[in-house]
Amino acid sequence: METTQTGSIIKSFIIGFYLVLLLWIVKWIEFKFDISFAHWGIYPRSINGLKGILTAPFIHADINHLASNSLSLLITATMLWYFFKELAIKTIFSIYLLTGLGVWLFARPAIHIGASGVVYGLTSFLFFSGLFRKDPRLMGLSLLVVFLYGSLIWGIFPISPELSWESHLTGGVIGALLGYFFRNQGPQRKTYAIENEDEEEEFDDEYWNEENKDDEESKPDSLLH
């Protein structure tokens, strides 16, 4: 099975850039008009808080919060569109919606904002996709993800009350599940011709052995003189 051709690194980067730019536009509007969109975050198990499933990832508390998520989102989104271009749209939308829904269902009563849940989901998807597919190149991607974002593991624990660790944990779980669910779609491990040649040779040996056996059985018995 051939590995699906990867996307363009430039186009993948541009898509990631526009996603990040959208976050900065939202923050710029807040500064420009001296307003806050924080009330558009997710408030768990509240009807009014349901809207945050769609809006919370675009809202950040301050510039530091936004900047920390921007670089991670840019890198992971670029990796997603480059290595999994056929799955990219449905993967990121699934992470976006399912992570928000999970936070609304299970998180503690507080306003949850920020794109970190999506970042954790993308990071988890990239990591587990490489493991599930057993493709050397994608497994190399998994190692790169660990190298770049291995420290994110601490974000899934309730260490700091100011952080929405529920978003991190939910995003990580959703990303892993999607990595497993989509494991047979998109890029796959290559099967080389030499692997099939061994099977063909074994089949040929069995064929000729069976044919020779039939010839021997068809010969008349020898007569003794």
Side-chain angles (χ1 to χ4, degrees):
M1 186 179 296
E2 293 292 332
T3 300
T4 304
Q5 184 179 7
T6 55
S8 164
I9 187 63
I10 296 177
K11 290 181 179 179
S12 300
F13 177 83
I14 291 174
I15 293 172
F17 174 79
Y18 279 129
L19 289 175
V20 172
L21 180 62
L22 183 57
L23 305 185
W24 282 89
I25 289 175
V26 172
K27 179 53 68 178
W28 177 83
I29 292 174
E30 287 186 301
F31 279 126
K32 177 69 174 179
F33 297 99
D34 193 24
I35 58 177
S36 173
F37 292 138
H39 60 281
W40 286 84
I42 300 173
Y43 196 88
R45 297 169 297 282
S46 164
I47 298 300
N48 189 48
L50 275 171
K51 64 181 181 296
I53 294 175
L54 298 177
T55 56
F58 302 97
I59 305 165
H60 292 80
D62 50 38
I63 293 296
N64 290 334
H65 184 204
L66 175 57
S68 65
N69 280 337
S70 294
L71 181 59
S72 299
L73 181 61
L74 177 61
I75 294 175
T76 53
T78 300
M79 287 181 176
L80 177 69
W81 256 272
Y82 180 71
F83 288 101
F84 301 93
K85 62 178 182 177
E86 297 176 358
L87 299 173
I89 293 179
K90 60 182 176 182
T91 296
I92 197 167
F93 269 100
S94 297
I95 291 172
Y96 165 54
L97 295 176
L98 294 176
T99 297
L101 179 60
V103 171
W104 186 84
L105 288 172
F106 303 112
R108 71 207 132 118
I111 297 178
H112 299 257
I113 58 175
S116 56
V118 175
V119 170
Y120 270 77
L122 292 175
T123 304
S124 178
F125 175 81
L126 293 170
F127 174 74
F128 284 102
S129 290
L131 297 184
F132 292 143
R133 295 164 193 270
K134 298 180 180 179
D135 183 298
R137 182 185 56 173
L138 295 178
M139 292 181 74
L141 174 62
S142 297
L143 294 176
L144 177 61
V145 170
V146 171
F147 175 76
L148 292 175
Y149 299 112
S151 61
L152 290 182
I153 189 67
W154 299 110
I156 67 175
F157 300 107
I159 297 175
S160 174
E162 297 178 355
L163 296 179
S164 178
W165 62 270
E166 298 95 330
S167 297
H168 304 165
L169 178 59
T170 305
V173 171
I174 295 299
L177 291 176
L178 290 175
Y180 179 80
F181 185 76
F182 292 145
R183 69 190 185 283
N184 294 322
Q185 301 180 40
Q188 300 292 326
R189 176 176 175 269
K190 285 184 178 181
T191 301
Y192 295 95
I194 191 172
E195 297 177 6
N196 295 328
E197 288 177 1
D198 293 338
E199 296 177 0
E200 292 174 359
E201 291 177 0
E202 182 179 349
F203 174 79
D204 290 342
D205 290 341
E206 292 178 356
Y207 173 79
W208 288 111
N209 289 338
E210 189 67 26
E211 187 177 69
N212 291 336
K213 181 180 179 181
D214 293 341
D215 291 343
E216 291 177 359
E217 291 178 351
S218 63
K219 292 180 181 178
D221 293 337
S222 298
L223 299 176
L224 296 176
H225 293 280

